[in-house]
């Protein structure tokens, strides 16, 4: 989620270097497909929470695939294509964007095959980046892409949702961690710190391969997530930029709040693994998916959107309101899950959607101001 780290002058609109306008605007197509999958994914997610809503029943079982394959797979592949800067790299986001439409149209197997192809291409293209720029973060980005492929194969085989969810969430966690690792180089961390990063990633991969999200004990995933969070808190540049003002501070606040939920997911996997309580699986999945991943998206959107689409995006301090609503919705979700408060859980879903709608409104209003 950091195609290009644009300098972050407080209050200044973020503008990325201009490739040809026509080509850049074409990137809006896969982005629109991804956004469509996200909105439908949220809508049917509400049905999974027990809310009866028009048109949400049919696609409810594909909520996870819509969110991970349709939305994040498309957005992450698009970003990678922008970083590579070659026409052929756009084949991955285009394929997963089409996959998103095909899934919404109700043809899951074909959608799964398109996500699989997109994931294989993303892994291949990420491998090219390793050759061009051999570094720990480019290797981890490639391993992360391969987890998307692994999860999609497991999903196409019809395995229980928790098994594909383990792979897919690892795809997201390692992609974000690798990009924070890339940025942490600005602080030139000691080489030995790479060893602890590798160890944390290895524990997470072992936990994923064991399918711990579907088991009643998740030691590897639990310790791995805690170790990774500790590493990120120790080396992330956000620990510095939180003391700045404007967008740098807001992004840092989103990143650090995300680390809180990532650590909580690790603790829950140790203290209350999936299957140990009715909703502990849901608590772990959404502490990561909403608390960590969506918070990262909040923090990076004002930087990434201009870089990817050329659309001017202006930050505003009003963004702290949707930020607060987002994290309140996760708190209600996890509390509802842990104390089996069904109403609390049900209320958390619409609140997450309100947070996103409010955030989009804040950015649109701020960006329209002269
Ligand atoms: C309004 C927001 C959301 C709601 C209401 C929601 C609802 C749900 C529910 C009720 C489940 C089933 C949990 C269980 O079986 O106990 C679920 C599973 C899942 N959700 Fe969400 N979710 C939301 C947002 C997200 C987001 C943003 C992501 C990804 C970034 C995500 C990814 C997943 C995954 C991977 C699963 C597991 C696969 C599955 O069981 O289908 N969810 N979600």
């Amino acid at each position: 989620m950091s195609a290009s780290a644009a300098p972050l002058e407080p209050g200044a609109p973020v503008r990325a270097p201009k490739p040809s306008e026509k080509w850049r605007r074409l990137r809006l197509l896969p982005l629109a497909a991804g956004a469509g999958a996200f909105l439908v994914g949220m809508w049917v997610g509400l049905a999974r929470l027990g809310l009866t809503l028009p048109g949400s029943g049919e696609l409810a079982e594909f909520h996870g695939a819509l969110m991970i394959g349709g939305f994040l797979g498309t957005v992450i592949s698009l970003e990678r294509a922008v970083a590579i800067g070659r026409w052929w790299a756009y084949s991955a986001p285009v394929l997963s964007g089409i996959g998103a439409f095909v899934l919404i149209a109700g043809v899951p197997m074909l959608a799964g095959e398109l996500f699989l192809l997109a994931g294989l291409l993303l892994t291949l293209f990420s491998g090219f980046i390793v050759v061009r720029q051999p570094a720990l973060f480019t290797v981890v980005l490639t391993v992360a892409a391969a987890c998307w492929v692994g999860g999609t194969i497991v999903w196409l085989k019809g395995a229980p949702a928790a098994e594909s969810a383990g792979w897919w969430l690892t795809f997201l966690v390692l992609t974000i961690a690798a990009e924070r690792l890339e940025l942490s180089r600005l602080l030139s961390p000691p080489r030995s710190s790479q060893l602890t990063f590798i160890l944390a990633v290895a524990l997470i991969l072992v936990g994923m391969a064991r399918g711990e999200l579907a088991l009643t004990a998740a030691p590897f995933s639990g310790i791995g997530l805690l170790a990774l969070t500790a590493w990120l808190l120790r080396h992330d540049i956000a620990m510095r930029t939180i003391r700045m003002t404007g967008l740098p501070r807001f992004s840092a606040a989103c990143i650090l709040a995300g680390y809180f939920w990532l650590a909580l997911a690790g603790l829950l996997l140790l203290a209350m693994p999936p299957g140990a309580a009715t909703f502990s699986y849901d608590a772990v999945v959404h502490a990561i998916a909403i608390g960590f991943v969506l918070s990262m998206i909040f923090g990076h959107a004002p930087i990434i959107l201009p870089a990817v689409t050329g659309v001017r995006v202006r930050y505003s301090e009003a963004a702290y309101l949707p930020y607060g609503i987002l994290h309140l919705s996760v708190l209600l979700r996890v509390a509802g899950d842990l104390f089996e408060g069904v109403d609390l859980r049900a209320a958390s879903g619409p609140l997450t959607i309100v947070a996103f709608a409010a955030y989009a409104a804040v950015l649109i209003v701020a960006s329209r101001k002269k």
Side-chain angles (χ1 to χ4, degrees):
M1 304 199 179
S2 60
S4 56
L8 296 174
E9 304 312 316
V14 175
R15 285 202 183 85
K18 276 195 177 342
S20 78
E21 206 50 41
K22 188 173 73 202
W23 286 114
R24 195 149 51 159
R25 290 296 153 112
L26 268 182
R27 294 173 187 164
L28 287 168
L29 291 177
L31 205 58
F38 176 63
L39 295 175
V40 175
M42 290 277 231
W43 188 250
V44 299
L46 295 178
R48 296 279 296 271
L49 269 184
L51 302 173
T52 35
L53 299 159
S56 62
E58 296 80 39
L59 291 172
E61 69 174 296
F62 305 128
H63 161 75
L66 278 165
M67 283 295 185
I68 310 283
F71 169 46
L72 288 151
T74 306
V75 170
I76 290 170
S77 329
L78 181 62
E79 241 203 281
R80 202 70 40 85
V82 172
I84 293 172
R86 300 291 179 80
W87 65 267
W88 40 263
Y90 289 89
S91 52
V94 168
L95 282 169
S96 60
I98 297 171
F101 279 122
V102 168
L103 188 54
I104 294 168
V107 196
M109 283 314 278
L110 176 59
E113 283 146 15
L114 288 163
F115 291 150
L116 181 59
L117 212 48
L120 286 167
L121 288 172
L122 178 67
T123 310
L124 183 70
F125 299 153
S126 306
F128 285 163
I129 299 180
V130 174
V131 175
R132 213 166 68 179
Q133 188 185 0
L136 178 58
F137 82 93
T138 55
V139 172
V140 176
L141 282 176
T142 309
V143 171
C147 294
W148 180 21
V149 173
T152 308
I153 292 173
V154 169
W155 185 69
L156 280 168
K157 280 193 179 153
E163 286 185 33
S164 49
W167 286 81
W168 284 342
L169 290 172
T170 305
F171 160 50
L172 304 180
V173 170
L174 295 191
T175 299
I176 296 169
E179 299 205 351
R180 300 312 301 173
L181 172 68
E182 180 197 4
L183 282 173
S184 74
R185 295 182 313 165
L186 299 170
L187 302 176
S188 39
R191 273 194 86 67
S192 58
S193 72
Q194 295 211 347
L195 221 54
T196 42
F197 186 92
I198 293 170
L199 195 63
V201 169
L203 286 169
I204 292 169
L205 289 172
V206 171
M208 175 200 75
R210 280 169 39 90
E212 284 187 346
L213 206 51
L215 301 180
T216 52
F220 290 92
S221 310
I223 298 169
L225 286 181
L226 285 170
L228 183 66
T229 314
W231 192 97
L232 291 164
L233 282 172
R234 171 78 184 74
H235 295 288
D236 198 303
I237 197 168
M239 297 302 279
R240 304 254 178 120
T241 51
I242 193 71
R243 295 187 220 122
M244 293 171 73
T245 58
L247 181 54
R249 177 181 227 161
F250 176 75
S251 289
C254 294
I255 291 158
L256 298 177
Y259 292 158
F260 167 78
W261 293 114
L262 194 68
L264 186 82
L267 272 178
L268 284 175
L269 283 165
L270 293 176
M272 196 184 257
T278 316
F279 298 125
S280 55
Y281 164 75
D282 184 78
V284 170
V285 168
H286 295 92
I288 297 173
I290 305 177
F292 177 65
V293 176
L294 291 197
S295 189
M296 290 293 162
I297 291 178
F298 264 43
H300 287 88
I303 307 159
I304 296 294
L305 280 175
V308 169
T309 64
V311 175
R312 192 174 86 119
V313 175
R314 185 185 281 278
Y315 163 75
S316 147
E317 298 288 303
Y320 280 101
L321 178 63
Y323 165 87
I325 299 173
L326 180 77
H327 291 289
L328 175 64
S329 79
V330 189
L331 187 65
L332 291 186
R333 180 82 180 247
V334 171
D337 284 336
L338 299 186
F339 303 107
E340 302 196 5
V342 180
D343 297 341
L344 218 51
R345 276 183 95 232
S348 73
L351 204 58
T352 304
I353 296 180
V354 167
F356 243 85
Y359 187 56
V362 164
L363 291 186
I364 292 168
V365 171
S367 307
R368 292 211 161 164
K369 280 198 195 119
K370 288 283 165 279

